[in-house]
Amino acid sequence: MNLKEAFRFQNKLESLISETEGILSSEDCVTLTKRTYLYKKADPNAENETVTIIPNTEYYKQINELIEFVMYLISQREKLSNAINEAKRKLPIDLDGEISLNRYRQRMSDIFRNMARIKGKEIRENNSGIGYRFNNEGNQISYKCDVDRVTTINFNRNTVRKYASQLSETSDSASLKIDKCMINYSVDYTPEFDVNDSFDEIFEKFNSK
């Protein structure tokens, strides 16, 4: 598989581990509770009745298998991680660093473009202001007045336009290099199930071994 497929499979493993963790971390899922109704104590002619409370998971009969399953998933995650790291050593660029840096480039390019679209404006807000004065009796009273609101940009529009274009071009170039690495470099890892398989299908396949 190539790096792109490896990262996708890595996300699949993390999703499977997370789902298994959710079951095993719930005490209600990993324990069995029985309630015995002591009818006979209150009524000598009655018989006691024991009821088992079914845990809130369809896998309550396979908890031991789930324990083994999550250990298997973790080992596969480790194996794949090592294979990915080994593949990265052969790359002409620092893949993780370039991906992270490119996110900043793309975000700031979008921000700068939005800034460049901001325009100054003048608005009269009718009766939105409050003033105070003294009336003939000497009492302070309030009154409303119109407010002229003037908004101007507080930055150099030409500068943000230039940087938006610069960051966009650099980001596009970096994305092309990243895509080439993701597609053209292989990872020495053979998946033991299909990335599109469901949790049930993968768990069942694991148990059938």
Side-chain angles (χ1 to χ4, degrees):
M1 60 169 50
N2 60 30
L3 269 169
K4 185 175 182 179
E5 293 167 331
F7 284 128
R8 185 183 177 204
F9 199 82
Q10 182 174 259
N11 290 337
K12 179 69 173 184
L13 285 170
E14 290 172 356
S15 174
L16 292 168
I17 292 172
S18 178
E19 190 168 348
T20 312
E21 284 177 345
I23 299 170
L24 297 180
S25 62
S26 171
E27 186 174 332
D28 289 340
C29 291
V30 299
T31 58
L32 291 175
T33 300
K34 292 182 178 180
R35 301 182 68 184
T36 299
Y37 295 84
L38 304 176
Y39 297 130
K40 197 173 186 64
K41 186 175 182 180
D43 180 4
N45 296 319
E47 295 296 329
N48 294 339
E49 181 183 2
T50 299
V51 176
T52 299
I53 299 175
I54 303 300
N56 189 29
T57 173
E58 61 182 292
Y59 304 105
Y60 72 95
K61 293 182 179 180
Q62 298 173 295
I63 299 301
N64 288 318
E65 288 84 350
L66 279 175
I67 293 170
E68 298 300 326
F69 183 55
V70 77
M71 292 300 295
Y72 159 75
L73 293 173
I74 291 172
S75 69
Q76 289 299 309
R77 176 66 177 80
E78 180 181 6
K79 183 178 179 181
L80 178 56
S81 180
N82 291 336
I84 289 174
N85 288 334
E86 186 61 33
K88 285 179 180 177
R89 294 191 182 98
K90 304 172 185 177
L91 300 179
I93 62 173
D94 174 9
L95 185 63
D96 293 336
E98 198 61 42
I99 289 174
S100 177
L101 185 56
N102 227 28
R103 292 194 189 103
Y104 291 119
R105 293 185 184 118
Q106 291 164 353
R107 286 205 299 266
M108 287 313 304
S109 177
D110 290 340
I111 289 172
F112 286 156
R113 290 185 190 283
N114 288 332
M115 288 176 65
R117 297 188 190 103
I118 297 173
K119 295 179 180 179
K121 50 192 173 184
E122 296 183 14
I123 299 174
R124 172 157 292 182
E125 300 174 339
N126 296 325
N127 294 321
S128 66
I130 298 177
Y132 297 91
R133 62 182 174 83
F134 290 97
N135 60 17
N136 294 333
E137 288 77 29
N139 299 319
Q140 188 182 57
I141 60 173
S142 63
Y143 61 91
K144 290 187 176 181
C145 66
D146 296 343
V147 175
D148 284 338
R149 187 176 69 175
V150 178
T151 301
T152 58
I153 62 172
N154 193 29
F155 57 90
N156 188 313
R157 191 190 303 276
N158 291 329
T159 298
V160 297
R161 281 175 174 164
K162 180 184 72 173
Y163 286 153
S165 178
Q166 177 182 316
L167 287 171
S168 183
E169 290 177 6
T170 305
S171 173
D172 289 344
S173 176
S175 293
L176 185 60
K177 293 178 183 177
I178 291 170
D179 289 342
K180 286 182 178 179
C181 289
M182 296 284 272
I183 294 172
N184 295 332
Y185 284 80
S186 61
V187 176
D188 186 17
Y189 175 83
T190 303
E192 298 186 2
F193 53 84
D194 192 281
V195 71
N196 294 311
D197 287 348
S198 67
F199 183 94
D200 286 342
E201 290 172 328
I202 298 168
F203 183 46
E204 184 179 342
K205 187 180 294 185
F206 171 78
N207 285 329
S208 67
K209 291 182 180 180

